[in-house]
Amino acid sequence: MKTPRNLGLVAVVVFVISHFLPAYGNSSGFTCFRVCWNIFLGSDADVPRVGWFYYSGFVICNILFIGLVVALFVTKKWRKLRLVVSVILFSHVLSWWALNTFQQPPQIAEIEIGYYVWLIAYGLLVAAHLGKERRP
């Protein structure tokens, strides 16, 4: 049974779909990624250094997401490390919800379905790395 790989495939499909859905305000997931990418590259000089680290983290999360899915298919090495990294990525993505929920005034209404679908993709990635390949 290849449950971790199947979860990885589902995670990729969900991840891709999330980028086409509205994610924050009027912006799609892909637009949000582009904004974070521009911050990561330093194109937005108005973002303070702390903001640069935070938003750049989303760029790194998206890149590592693909890397971790590929790792599910090509190696069985570093399982625990991959699990830890996937949990860290999930936590960083979840932090956006927490940030918008607990700021004053709360901005939770700005978060759209695409964000939640994106978060589910990271949850599926964690589940895939939690599972073990069963031998037939």
Side-chain angles (χ1 to χ4, degrees):
M1 187 83 167
K2 298 179 179 178
T3 304
R5 290 180 180 186
N6 291 342
L7 280 173
L9 282 175
V10 172
V12 167
V13 169
V14 171
F15 179 79
V16 169
I17 290 170
S18 75
H19 282 76
F20 292 98
L21 296 172
Y24 191 76
N26 295 327
S27 300
S28 69
F30 185 71
T31 301
C32 293
F33 177 72
R34 274 199 337 240
V35 167
C36 290
W37 186 258
N38 287 336
I39 292 170
F40 177 69
L41 294 177
S43 301
D44 192 345
D46 295 335
V47 177
R49 186 174 300 276
V50 172
W52 181 88
F53 280 107
Y54 184 70
Y55 291 108
S56 295
F58 292 120
V59 172
I60 303 301
C61 285
N62 281 341
I63 292 168
L64 288 177
F65 181 94
I66 302 303
L68 288 173
V69 170
V70 169
L72 278 171
F73 290 92
V74 299
T75 187
K76 294 181 191 233
K77 295 180 182 180
W78 307 303
R79 253 191 73 218
K80 288 183 182 179
L81 175 63
R82 290 185 286 140
L83 174 60
V84 168
V85 171
S86 67
V87 169
I88 291 168
L89 299 181
F90 177 79
S91 299
H92 186 66
V93 170
L94 182 61
S95 74
W96 183 249
W97 176 84
L99 181 72
N100 281 274
T101 300
F102 298 114
Q103 72 180 4
Q104 293 301 325
Q107 298 294 314
I108 194 72
E110 291 292 316
I111 297 178
E112 300 290 341
I113 188 71
Y115 165 78
Y116 296 107
V117 173
W118 187 53
L119 182 63
I120 289 169
Y122 282 89
L124 289 168
L125 183 65
V126 170
H129 284 286
L130 273 173
K132 291 183 179 178
E133 293 278 336
R134 293 196 174 90
R135 298 173 196 241

